[in-house]
Amino acid sequence: MEFDVDPTNSNQTTTNYDQIINISTIDSNNFSYGDFFANYMQKNVPCIIKNVSNDWQSTHKWVTNGQPNIDHLMANYQDTKVVIYKCSERYFNSQKCTEATLAQYLKDWPETNDFYLKDWHLKLQRKNDQFYEVPIYFASDWLNEYFVECQEDDYRFVYMGQKGTWTPLHSDVFGSFSWSVNVCGQKKWLFFPPGEENYLKDSNNILPYDIAEINHSRKCFEVLQNPGEAIFVPSGWYHQVWNMEDTISINHNWVNGCNINLMWQNMKENLNRIKEEIKDCKTMDGFNAHCQLMLKSLFGLNFQGFFDFLVFICKKRLAMMQGEASKVLFHGHSIGTNHIVFDLMQISKVLKDFLGCDDVISSTNFNSGNCLLQEIVQILGNKDFAF
């Protein structure tokens, strides 16, 4: 299936989050990709999408009588590696976790509601297992396009937990979007619009671990997510999640042209905090390189990794424009021509800002970026698109 955008309706918008009254629920049977792109991704506001997993294999094979089908999961995935979080035991701003096999996790399934299986890279481990399909709304996924093809890694996960398991207050990695589909069970989500988290911090500028532990009057939204529903989590929205029933969900973190600048700004802010924290070492040899090492450790990517990511997506889109590469992406959906143009325009904006950054100017590792910018201008200059 092809996804594309209307070139007359692809300008970035600024959202006034104070005007949001509630979280919308839409039905996939009568809502287009273009509508989702313009009304939710570009505006960076959450929504619930109904009826996205009716035809998934996991919907039919992983569930029996509305409950996780433990026998099927054990028979097919018992040896896969998983990470199990103990919900009652805090570890910094997360929960204590251990590595195990699915069999080790499931053997105690009926006995406890304290252990939550998160970040299970099942699709990476079982590449040919078609247990779900990426909903068309989430098809523009640069992050997994890059990591699946270049890093033998991914941000595609399965979560599984009993009633009462939960995830502490957080925003998503890199400042990315995320989506989550309940294969079975029900989740409760509490969302805070960007900026509201600043009013939740204590005197030491630390966010609460569990929002239930504090009294607050900040603007937030409570959402119940039912089986077969997807929830779209925009960039920078802090949220906390509880499993109200025994629940299995499939989730992606993802970045694209709608939030790549937010990712870049988030990275710069993290680097500035690092520099401020170790400013006493500013005169040491290799200070900037050391800051980049810390950035990679704390943020997950440094400038070199971000540049490599941008270059990969840029070169693929340029090759698509020139008919030198397939428009079919890693999940099977095809990207339309207008969407390729939108991607290239967003890359060019971020790449231009990136190349003007002091830490980049002082390095020779990014010289090829200027050539890419020129190529984007040349390609788009020959096309009549009204962006």
Side-chain angles (χ1 to χ4, degrees):
M1 183 181 295
E2 182 177 281
F3 62 99
D4 210 348
V5 291
D6 180 352
T8 64
N9 192 31
S10 298
N11 293 316
Q12 294 294 103
T13 58
T14 300
T15 300
N16 182 352
Y17 296 114
D18 290 335
Q19 295 180 348
I20 301 174
I21 300 173
N22 54 39
I23 304 301
S24 301
T25 298
I26 58 181
D27 194 321
S28 66
N29 292 320
N30 52 26
F31 202 78
S32 71
Y33 174 83
D35 289 334
F36 176 74
F37 178 91
N39 293 302
Y40 296 99
M41 273 202 296
Q42 285 201 302
K43 293 182 178 179
N44 201 49
V45 296
C47 66
I48 290 278
I49 310 175
K50 301 172 69 69
N51 298 312
V52 298
S53 60
N54 296 342
D55 298 326
W56 287 6
Q57 291 184 21
S58 54
T59 298
H60 302 285
K61 295 181 179 181
W62 293 12
V63 184
T64 180
N65 298 321
Q67 293 291 313
N69 187 337
I70 303 301
D71 290 340
H72 175 85
L73 293 168
M74 183 69 87
N76 288 272
Y77 307 115
Q78 60 180 314
D79 295 329
T80 58
K81 302 296 183 182
V82 300
V83 180
I84 304 169
Y85 289 75
K86 189 173 184 180
C87 293
S88 63
E89 194 163 340
R90 181 173 179 174
Y91 184 74
F92 294 98
N93 63 342
S94 185
Q95 295 157 335
K96 185 176 180 180
C97 65
T98 57
E99 294 184 352
T101 64
L102 184 68
Q104 290 171 313
Y105 174 68
L106 292 179
K107 70 180 178 63
D108 295 323
W109 176 261
E111 308 300 328
T112 178
N113 65 350
D114 194 29
F115 296 102
Y116 194 179
L117 185 159
K118 305 181 190 181
D119 302 336
W120 180 15
H121 292 261
L122 181 57
K123 186 61 178 175
L124 190 66
Q125 296 170 354
R126 298 290 181 85
K127 294 180 175 63
N128 296 321
D129 193 327
Q130 305 301 317
F131 58 91
Y132 77 108
E133 299 173 4
V134 174
I136 189 68
Y137 307 106
F138 315 131
S140 180
D141 181 349
W142 299 2
L143 197 62
N144 286 297
E145 183 179 350
Y146 171 70
F147 275 89
V148 169
E149 294 186 35
C150 298
Q151 302 292 323
E152 271 299 305
D153 196 2
D154 67 352
Y155 286 85
R156 304 173 295 176
F157 310 111
V158 176
Y159 280 44
M160 182 175 180
Q162 289 184 283
K163 178 181 179 180
T165 50
W166 64 292
T167 298
L169 184 70
H170 68 288
S171 65
D172 286 317
V173 61
F174 305 140
S176 63
F177 295 146
S178 66
W179 61 263
S180 176
V181 174
N182 282 356
V183 176
C184 66
Q186 184 187 67
K187 291 184 180 183
K188 181 174 78 172
W189 298 71
L190 192 65
F191 285 104
F192 292 89
E196 290 295 314
E197 74 280 359
N198 295 320
Y199 300 97
L200 302 175
K201 296 176 180 178
D202 63 17
S203 58
N204 294 315
N205 207 35
I206 297 174
L207 282 163
Y209 169 72
D210 180 357
I211 197 65
E213 294 177 349
I214 68 167
N215 293 317
H216 73 89
S217 57
R218 303 310 307 175
K219 183 173 185 177
C220 59
F221 301 92
E222 184 176 302
V223 180
L224 287 178
Q225 178 194 14
N226 295 305
E229 294 180 346
I231 194 160
F232 168 58
V233 183
S235 292
W237 284 66
Y238 276 79
H239 51 284
Q240 187 163 318
V241 190
W242 298 262
N243 288 324
M244 310 304 289
E245 302 171 355
D246 295 353
T247 302
I248 302 175
S249 64
I250 295 173
N251 317 279
H252 282 202
N253 288 102
W254 50 307
V255 173
N256 59 31
C258 292
N259 66 341
I260 185 63
N261 186 57
L262 293 174
M263 180 182 179
W264 166 232
Q265 299 304 323
N266 198 356
M267 176 178 281
K268 286 195 293 185
E269 289 168 7
N270 274 265
L271 179 61
N272 288 336
R273 283 196 291 269
I274 289 169
K275 288 183 174 181
E276 178 63 24
E277 288 174 5
I278 62 170
K279 61 184 177 182
D280 292 345
C281 304
K282 191 171 184 179
T283 58
M284 67 177 272
D285 291 340
F287 175 77
N288 287 335
H290 184 68
C291 289
Q292 289 293 322
L293 284 173
M294 292 183 66
L295 182 64
K296 184 173 183 179
S297 175
L298 296 172
F299 185 73
L301 278 178
N302 58 14
F303 277 23
Q304 184 66 59
F306 183 71
F307 180 72
D308 293 343
F309 166 55
L310 275 184
V311 167
F312 173 79
I313 299 297
C314 184
K315 286 185 174 180
K316 280 196 68 176
R317 297 299 181 269
L318 287 169
M320 290 173 180
M321 284 295 292
Q322 299 174 87
E324 297 172 355
S326 172
K327 295 180 181 180
V328 180
L329 300 179
F330 70 99
H331 42 50
H333 294 298
S334 299
I335 184 170
T337 300
N338 291 329
H339 212 304
I340 295 171
V341 173
F342 172 79
D343 287 359
L344 287 170
M345 292 189 69
Q346 299 311 112
I347 290 169
S348 68
K349 292 174 185 176
V350 172
L351 189 55
K352 187 179 297 183
D353 192 59
F354 176 87
L355 294 171
C357 193
D358 289 342
D359 293 84
V360 172
I361 292 172
S362 61
S363 171
T364 60
N365 293 347
F366 310 106
N367 291 344
S368 61
N370 290 302
C371 296
L372 271 181
L373 274 178
Q374 293 174 13
E375 192 171 352
I376 293 172
V377 170
Q378 183 178 8
I379 291 292
L380 296 188
N382 296 328
K383 303 295 179 182
D384 184 21
F385 290 95
F387 281 88

